[in-house]
């Protein structure tokens, strides 16, 4: 160990339950030349015990050393406590602990997984996951998990009916294995409905599996009505006589009975528990249900635990002696209209156990998987790796006021808390409903906006904010900064929403702009609108940076596939889009620079170079030269700094010196003419806009640009020029009166961390009163 390198990891247990050998997955970055793909690595816990480990290289540097390494390992976690682990590389030899591995057998288009407690049969020829499930040798389910869509006329379309389903083993290893099916729900006559993508994940020595089901509306009608979308697992339990549903998340609370039960959440802030005959046994009109269901027999039981059940309504779970069901869209008084091009992903876990009936034990089983822990390294490691220059080192003792404000500016969802709550409280955090899940809610004065036919029935929000300034990436930098698990849940919510709702999965030719290639449009984002369902192909608000980071941290290929689609769209778009200074070229370059290291297509470089040429021409047209005066309209804050933000990302991805030169050319001009006499950056030189920029108005792109210019030149003037804004920003983030403005925290935070880091290194941040100690001498 004298020559070994150690990386400190930390994992918070977020469910309030004891976990033994729990499976954890995380990607860790490395600087160039640090780790060779053949180098052995181990993970130890706090007591120095070597933990079971599975690895996969996600990305390499130009010298073929590892840039991102995906780790799967198992650890013990105490309720609500933070546990430490160490990733060690550089050892001469690595000890291999004894542990239970997943064994796989293949025979006649069927895979069998033996993970220890479970034996699982998987059909490779049709989408019916879990053809057979046995716990400790006893068969609990036989026949397969069935996904079914019921049309308004009663026709049933099933995933298992597609004879041409595509099957793939996506992940294969001793600790975690993942398989997927892709196809179309079909009826008995072979007629298709929504497409599907189903994933099944198996973990070593665990009695549960994870199921992800995505339905995608690739039909041509503007809206397609469905009566019901469901997933059902047949059961063969002996004496199935105990039933329970999870109502409130804290307590924990549940409703138990000796008869079959159904839990429904059909509307915002309302849920109810029904018996098999439909009689209401329990209901609440001011809360959301955590949403699990259990059925137990004399020897064994099965628990179904959806993820984000209470957010992603309408939903329902039910169980009887013959099976357990998850209604992805439950039957209601009226059919549910699914917009064209929309997808929706639902994740749920199936836990097979020894027939537990105690409410506390059932709640622990549910929360163990519903609140999945996420490991992370310390913030200094992400900075030193060179992969996250936006991350600021976590220094709570030195900057307590700043750290408190960073933690509080993002409000996690709390609407599942038991007890009466105001509608305003319910609006905080993520939006609610199948079509809007993942957005921030911006309450508007004067009644807000109305978009008939697009708002989910029962939603009380006024405005559903799109992923402005890449909320996924911003929340992810928050998580890597202080490792707050609730922020990670925000990352997942926004990323899922972006992939399902913001991304165009289907369009028709008569609703896209002339000249756009239809196949390319299918990979873009919808036009920005409160409900996101508008004409595709007209939006360049396409963010891939956060999705790529999610791929690096989880290894989930869907993040990568979506981001690459965005890159393909922009590469095609550059041939006719009038790129100019500002957000168009800046955000497009951010996407291309995010995807390029993983997918170095020549089309991306061609598009980026074309944008650079256009940016250079437009900057010169507006009168810029080192020997001449500057045209005032050419120095508007957003036109310069949002452009520079994209140039920075491409330069980081490629090291292209021409982009670096252009950044410094623009920032030197910006430094000369874009500040008021009192030293604050201004919106524009135009008289009516010659006022100071504000965090919630203009955003903070200029601070990121100033920080880059300082890093590239060492010229302190770039940092000193931004100190006035840093002082204003520190006060803004600390002020309770701007709470409503903080709903748009993405605009007011993106770009600040690089500048804060530079100010800290120069000893300037500690001089800002709103950043440091609560009381000073």
């Amino acid at each position: 160990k004298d020559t070994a390198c150690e990386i400190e990891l930390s994992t918070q247990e977020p469910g309030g339950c004891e976990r033994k050998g729990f499976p954890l997955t995380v990607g860790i970055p490395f600087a160039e030349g640090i780790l060779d793909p053949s180098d052995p690595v181990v993970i130890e816990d706090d007591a120095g015990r070597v933990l079971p480990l599975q690895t996969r290289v996600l990305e390499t540097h130009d010298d073929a050393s590892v840039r991102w390494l995906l780790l799967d390992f198992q650890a013990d976690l105490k309720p609500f406590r933070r546990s430490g682990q160490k990733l060690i590389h550089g050892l001469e030899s690595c000890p291999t602990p004894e542990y239970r591995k997943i064994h796989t057998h293949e025979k006649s288009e069927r895979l069998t997984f033996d993970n220890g407690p479970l034996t699982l049969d998987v059909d490779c020829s049709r989408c019916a996951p879990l053809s057979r499930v046995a716990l400790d040798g006893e068969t609990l389910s036989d026949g397969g998990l069935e996904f079914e869509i019921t049309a308004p006329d009663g026709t049933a379309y099933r995933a298992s009916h597609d004879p041409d389903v595509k099957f793939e083993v996506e992940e294969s290893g001793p600790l975690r294995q993942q398989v997927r099916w892709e196809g179309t729900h079909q009826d008995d006559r072979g007629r298709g409905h929504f497409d599907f993508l189903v994933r099944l994940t198996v973990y070593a020595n665990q009695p549960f599996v994870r199921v992800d089901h995505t339905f995608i509306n690739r039909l041509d009608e503007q809206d397609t009505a469905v009566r019901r979308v469901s997933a059902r697992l047949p059961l063969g339990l002996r004496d199935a006589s105990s039933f329970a549903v999870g109502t409130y998340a804290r307590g924990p609370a549940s409703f138990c009975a000796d008869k079959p039960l159904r839990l429904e959440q059909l509307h915002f802030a309302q849920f109810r528990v029904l018996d098999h005959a439909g009689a209401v046994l329990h209901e609440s009109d001011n809360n959301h249900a955590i949403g699990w269901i259990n059925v137990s027999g004399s020897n064994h039981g099965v628990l179904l635990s959806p993820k984000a059940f209470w957010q992603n309504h309408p939903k329902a779970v039910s169980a009887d002696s013959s099976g357990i069901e998850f209604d992805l869209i439950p039957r209601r008084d009226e059919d549910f209209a699914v917009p064209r091009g929309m997808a929706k992903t639902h994740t749920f876990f199936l836990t097979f156990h020894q027939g537990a009936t105690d409410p506390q034990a059932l709640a622990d089983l549910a929360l163990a998987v519903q609140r999945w822990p996420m490991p992370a390294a310390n913030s200094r490691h992400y900075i030193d790796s060179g992969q996250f220059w936006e991350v600021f080192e976590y220094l709570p003792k030195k900057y307590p006021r700043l750290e408190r404000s960073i933690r509080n500016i993002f409000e996690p969802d709390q609407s599942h808390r038991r007890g009466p709550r105001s509608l305003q409280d319910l609006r905080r955090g993520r939006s609610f409903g199948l079509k809007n899940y993942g957005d921030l809610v911006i309450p508007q004065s004067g009644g807000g906006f109305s978009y008939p036919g697009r708002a989910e029935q029962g939603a009380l929000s006024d405005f559903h904010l799109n992923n402005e300034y890449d909320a996924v990436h911003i929340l992810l930098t928050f998580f890597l900064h202080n490792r707050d698990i609730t922020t990670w849940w925000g990352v997942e919510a926004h990323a899922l929403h972006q992939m399902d709702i913001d991304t165009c999965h289907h369009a028709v030719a008569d609703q896209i702009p002339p000249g756009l290639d239809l196949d390319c449009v299918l990979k873009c984002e919808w036009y920005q609108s409160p409900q996101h369902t508008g004409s595709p192909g007209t939006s360049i608000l396409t963010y891939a940076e956060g999705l790529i980071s999610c791929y690096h941290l989880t290894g989930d290929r869907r993040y990568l596939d979506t981001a690459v689609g965005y890159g393909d769209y922009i590469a095609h778009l550059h041939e006719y889009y009038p790129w100019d200074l500002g957000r168009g070229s800046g955000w497009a370059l951010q996407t291309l620079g995010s995807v390029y290291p993983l997918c170095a297509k020549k089309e991306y470089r061609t598009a980026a170079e074309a944008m650079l040429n256009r940016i250079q021409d437009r900057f010169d047209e507006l009168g810029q030269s080192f020997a001449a005066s500057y045209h005032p309209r050419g120095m508007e804050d957003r036109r310069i700094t949002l452009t520079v933000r994209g140039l920075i990302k491409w330069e980081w991805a490629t090291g292209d010196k021409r982009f670096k030169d252009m950044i410094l050319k623009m920032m030197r001009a910006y430094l000369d003419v874009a500040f008021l006499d009192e030293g604050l950056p201004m919106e524009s030189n135009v008289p009516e806009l010659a006022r100071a920029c504000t965090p919630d108005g203009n955003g903070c792109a200029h601070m990121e640009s100033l920080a880059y210019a300082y890093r590239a030149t060492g010229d302190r003037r770039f940092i000193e020029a931004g100190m006035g804004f840093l002082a204003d920003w520190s006060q803004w983030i600390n002020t309770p009166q701007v709470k409503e403005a903080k709903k748009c925290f993405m605009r007011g935070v993106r770009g600040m961390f690089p500048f804060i880091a530079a100010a800290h290194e120069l000893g300037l941040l500690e001089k800002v009163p709103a950043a440091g100690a609560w009381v000073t001498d």
Side-chain angles (χ1 to χ4, degrees):
K1 288 190 177 182
D2 293 340
T3 60
C5 297
E6 298 182 356
I7 299 171
E8 178 262 328
L9 303 178
S10 177
T11 308
Q12 179 185 356
E13 198 292 313
C17 49
E18 187 93 8
R19 302 175 194 245
K20 294 290 186 181
F22 195 82
L24 302 171
T25 301
V26 67
I28 298 296
F30 293 86
E32 189 171 16
I34 296 296
L35 181 67
D36 187 86
S38 62
D39 288 347
V41 296
V42 297
I43 286 187
E44 292 182 354
D45 64 12
D46 285 334
R49 293 171 298 192
V50 177
L51 303 176
L53 177 64
Q54 171 181 321
T55 64
R56 174 163 65 94
V57 176
L58 296 177
E59 187 180 348
T60 58
H61 289 282
D62 291 340
D63 67 351
S65 64
V66 176
R67 174 176 274 166
W68 279 94
L69 183 69
L70 187 69
L71 310 173
D72 281 285
F73 62 99
Q74 295 177 343
D76 297 341
L77 303 175
K78 298 290 186 182
F80 293 134
R81 300 289 296 274
R82 191 173 287 280
S83 302
Q85 299 88 33
K86 286 188 295 187
L87 174 63
I88 306 171
H89 60 94
L91 294 171
E92 288 287 332
S93 61
C94 293
T96 302
E98 293 295 327
Y99 61 93
R100 198 69 174 267
K101 300 178 176 65
I102 301 174
H103 297 282
T104 307
H105 309 281
E106 183 175 1
K107 184 178 180 181
S108 301
E109 296 187 322
R110 178 164 291 200
L111 286 176
T112 298
F113 298 104
D114 182 354
N115 76 340
L118 297 177
T119 302
L120 311 167
D121 287 348
V122 169
D123 194 332
C124 307
S125 62
R126 66 188 187 106
C127 183
L130 305 176
S131 301
R132 175 180 171 272
V133 181
L135 174 64
D136 298 331
E138 182 173 335
T139 299
L140 304 187
S141 177
D142 197 359
L145 179 62
E146 183 67 82
F147 299 96
E148 181 177 289
I149 295 174
T150 305
D153 64 1
T155 303
Y157 299 83
R158 295 179 174 177
S160 62
H161 285 175
D162 186 352
D164 301 317
V165 66
K166 298 177 182 177
F167 177 83
E168 179 185 352
V169 177
E170 283 192 319
E171 193 82 23
S172 181
L175 292 182
R176 182 171 65 92
Q177 299 215 15
Q178 183 172 278
V179 295
R180 62 177 275 174
W181 295 261
E182 190 170 3
T184 303
H185 301 88
Q186 295 186 12
D187 66 4
D188 292 334
R189 293 187 287 170
R191 296 180 300 177
H193 206 284
F194 294 160
D195 292 350
F196 65 80
L197 174 61
V198 173
R199 284 185 166 97
L200 174 70
T201 308
V202 182
Y203 305 91
N205 205 32
Q206 298 298 326
F208 56 77
V209 295
R210 170 173 171 157
V211 180
D212 296 89
H213 174 270
T214 303
F215 67 76
I216 309 167
N217 184 1
R218 293 200 176 106
L219 304 176
D220 289 342
E221 297 299 320
Q222 183 171 347
D223 293 278
T224 299
V226 296
R227 182 169 297 174
R228 184 185 183 215
V229 181
S230 63
R232 177 178 174 84
L233 182 73
L235 298 179
L237 299 177
R238 272 189 268 163
D239 305 322
S241 58
S242 176
F243 301 85
V245 293
T247 50
Y248 306 100
R250 297 174 66 178
S254 60
F255 189 92
C256 304
D258 57 2
K259 300 293 184 183
L261 293 175
R262 177 178 177 84
L263 172 66
E264 294 182 341
Q265 183 162 299
L266 304 183
H267 303 290
F268 182 84
Q270 298 175 351
F271 72 86
R272 59 183 185 176
V273 180
L274 303 92
D275 65 14
H276 198 56
V280 176
L281 305 177
H282 176 77
E283 61 183 331
S284 173
D285 60 1
N286 64 359
N287 261 298
H288 296 86
I290 192 67
W292 52 262
I293 189 163
N294 178 77
V295 53
S296 292
S298 56
N299 294 321
H300 295 101
V302 180
L303 176 77
L304 188 150
S305 310
K307 189 172 183 178
F309 175 85
W310 60 271
Q311 283 181 309
N312 203 358
H313 74 270
K315 287 290 164 288
V317 287
S318 58
D320 57 28
S321 59
S322 65
I324 195 164
E325 292 186 341
F326 180 19
D327 280 346
L328 313 178
I329 298 178
R331 181 180 287 108
R332 304 185 301 172
D333 294 336
E334 60 181 351
D335 295 327
F336 192 93
V338 180
R340 177 180 57 236
M342 190 188 89
K344 203 60 203 150
T345 302
H346 300 90
T347 298
F348 60 96
F349 298 86
L350 290 163
T351 302
F352 304 89
H353 55 83
Q354 304 294 335
T357 57
D358 176 65
Q360 176 72 57
L362 293 174
D364 286 348
L365 287 175
L367 288 172
V369 291
Q370 286 181 321
R371 293 194 164 181
W372 200 278
M374 183 63 183
N378 61 62
S379 56
R380 187 72 246 173
H381 174 76
Y382 296 106
I383 299 168
D384 293 341
S385 72
Q387 302 310 303
F388 287 101
W389 90 301
E390 300 96 329
V391 174
F392 169 55
E393 187 174 4
Y394 184 51
L395 300 168
K397 290 185 171 29
K398 190 172 184 63
Y399 304 112
R401 297 191 69 194
L402 179 63
E403 294 295 0
R404 175 272 235 170
S405 300
I406 290 171
R407 186 180 295 274
N408 289 345
I409 195 170
F410 171 73
E411 296 181 357
D413 299 304
Q414 301 182 42
S415 299
H416 58 272
R417 296 173 69 177
R418 192 172 188 175
R421 299 179 60 79
S422 69
L423 294 181
Q424 187 63 37
D425 289 335
L426 292 171
R427 285 176 172 180
R428 292 176 182 167
R430 305 294 66 70
S431 180
F432 304 92
L434 179 67
K435 299 177 185 178
N436 303 322
Y437 172 50
D439 276 345
L440 284 172
V441 177
I442 310 298
Q444 301 290 317
S445 60
F449 302 101
S450 176
Y451 291 86
R454 294 301 182 195
E456 164 59 23
Q457 180 181 5
L460 298 177
S461 57
D462 296 311
F463 183 66
H464 300 270
L465 186 68
N466 204 345
N467 286 311
E468 181 173 319
Y469 283 73
D470 200 343
V472 177
H473 179 72
I474 294 164
L475 289 173
L476 193 142
T477 61
F478 282 10
F479 172 69
L480 299 183
H481 171 69
N482 59 21
R483 300 190 275 206
D484 181 356
I485 187 64
T486 63
T487 311
W488 173 252
W489 294 337
V491 172
E492 292 182 310
H494 276 278
L496 180 61
H497 175 87
Q498 184 175 347
M499 293 186 293
D500 281 352
I501 306 302
D502 288 338
T503 300
C504 175
H505 299 280
H506 182 72
V508 293
D510 60 355
Q511 291 200 355
I512 64 172
L516 267 178
D517 179 77
L518 184 60
D519 290 336
C520 179
V521 168
L522 299 184
K523 302 172 184 178
C524 77
E525 281 190 281
W526 291 106
Y527 180 76
Q528 186 184 26
S529 67
Q531 302 295 345
H532 308 348
T533 47
S535 299
T538 58
S539 174
I540 43 82
L541 308 180
T542 300
Y543 301 110
E545 193 169 15
L547 296 181
I548 288 295
S549 295
C550 286
Y551 168 70
H552 283 143
L553 288 172
T554 67
D556 189 331
R557 289 173 173 84
R558 191 166 181 238
Y559 293 121
L560 176 62
D561 292 344
T562 305
V564 170
Y566 292 171
D568 292 346
Y569 165 65
I570 290 173
H572 174 86
L573 192 68
H574 94 275
E575 296 178 1
Y576 67 91
Y577 187 84
W579 302 108
D580 201 346
L581 298 176
R583 68 184 69 189
S585 55
W587 287 338
L589 283 168
Q590 273 186 271
T591 287
L592 292 178
S594 300
V595 178
Y596 189 79
L598 280 159
C599 187
K601 297 183 179 181
K602 64 179 181 179
E603 295 87 353
Y604 295 175
R605 185 175 286 275
T606 299
E609 291 173 349
M611 291 178 206
L612 176 63
N613 294 335
R614 181 59 176 164
I615 291 167
Q616 177 71 68
D617 291 345
R618 288 294 291 148
F619 198 62
D620 289 342
E621 285 172 14
L622 292 167
Q624 196 283 331
S625 73
F626 292 118
S629 60
Y630 307 104
H631 194 290
R633 289 193 298 276
M635 298 311 298
E636 184 174 308
D637 174 72
R638 291 190 188 181
R639 300 190 72 181
I640 299 302
T641 58
L642 288 178
T643 304
V644 168
R645 174 173 282 168
L647 294 170
I648 288 172
K649 192 64 182 181
W650 184 261
E651 191 275 333
W652 171 86
T654 64
D656 193 321
K657 185 176 181 299
R658 293 170 299 166
F659 285 79
K660 182 177 181 179
D661 292 343
M662 189 65 208
I663 295 168
L664 297 180
K665 183 178 180 180
M666 298 177 78
M667 289 310 298
R668 289 185 177 115
Y670 183 79
L671 193 65
D672 287 345
V673 302
F675 288 83
L676 296 166
D677 292 342
E678 54 267 33
L680 293 171
M682 58 183 171
E683 291 186 36
S684 170
N685 284 35
V686 176
E688 61 268 30
L689 296 177
R691 57 195 177 195
C693 293
T694 60
D696 54 338
N698 302 81
C700 305
H702 58 284
M703 301 296 275
E704 181 179 348
S705 303
L706 289 169
Y708 176 92
Y710 164 72
R711 297 289 186 197
T713 64
D715 188 344
R716 280 182 59 131
R717 292 185 306 152
F718 289 108
I719 299 302
E720 291 165 352
M723 288 304 298
F725 186 89
L726 175 60
D728 282 357
W729 180 85
S730 299
Q731 196 63 41
W732 174 82
I733 199 176
N734 270 293
T735 305
Q737 284 77 7
V738 297
K739 201 162 191 176
E740 286 308 314
K742 290 181 184 178
K743 295 286 191 292
C744 297
F745 68 91
M746 299 85 76
R747 183 187 298 256
V749 176
R750 173 80 199 235
M752 286 304 301
F753 275 15
F755 190 92
I756 289 173
H760 161 67
E761 292 171 14
L762 293 172
L764 298 176
L765 181 59
E766 60 196 54
K767 301 181 185 300
V768 177
W774 298 102
V775 179
T776 58
D777 295 334

